[in-house]
Amino acid sequence: MSAMFRSFSIFNYRVWFIGALVSNIGAWMQATALSWVVLTHLTANDAGAMGIAMALQFAPAILLVGVTGWVADRFDRRKFLMLTQSALMLLGATVGILLLAGVMTLPLMYGFALALG
């Protein structure tokens, strides 16, 4: 095995890598779908509204980057990941239910975009 892939010989790294891969693919699919819904279903192709939704999705990560190290050092990482991933799952399911029910509004979607960020 080449030196570049040596880390894959460690079981815990393989588990983390697969989990992170699935999570990141899902997060990007969700961000793309949320922007698409804002652009095509909640507005009449309003690029400004889509830009606001995208900014709301990605702003928390940028603004909270300084706090993440503190959180990682103070709390049990496994429990914290379980909590955050469960919350993201519930938020995503709620967005889906509201969209299927036909009751989603643009301001409500902005709130979900911020929470998903």
Side-chain angles (χ1 to χ4, degrees), residues 1-93:
M1 184 178 295
S2 74
M4 184 167 70
F5 298 108
R6 190 175 327 145
S7 57
F8 284 106
S9 66
I10 300 168
F11 175 75
N12 285 342
Y13 179 77
R14 287 193 310 263
V15 170
W16 174 84
F17 180 84
I18 293 168
L21 181 67
V22 170
S23 178
N24 284 321
I25 290 170
W28 280 103
M29 287 174 62
Q30 187 172 28
T32 302
L34 191 142
S35 297
W36 178 76
V37 166
V38 168
L39 183 66
T40 60
H41 291 292
L42 298 179
T43 66
N45 294 324
D46 185 357
M50 187 186 77
I52 292 169
M54 289 179 70
L56 289 170
Q57 286 179 80
F58 297 110
I62 294 168
L63 296 174
L64 296 175
V65 72
V67 179
T68 56
W70 179 83
V71 170
D73 290 341
R74 302 291 189 283
F75 299 101
D76 179 28
R77 292 178 189 110
R78 187 180 193 298
K79 289 180 183 175
F80 193 70
L81 281 172
M82 294 291 282
L83 175 73
T84 56
Q85 293 299 304
S86 297
L88 288 172
M89 179 188 68
L90 289 173
L91 285 168

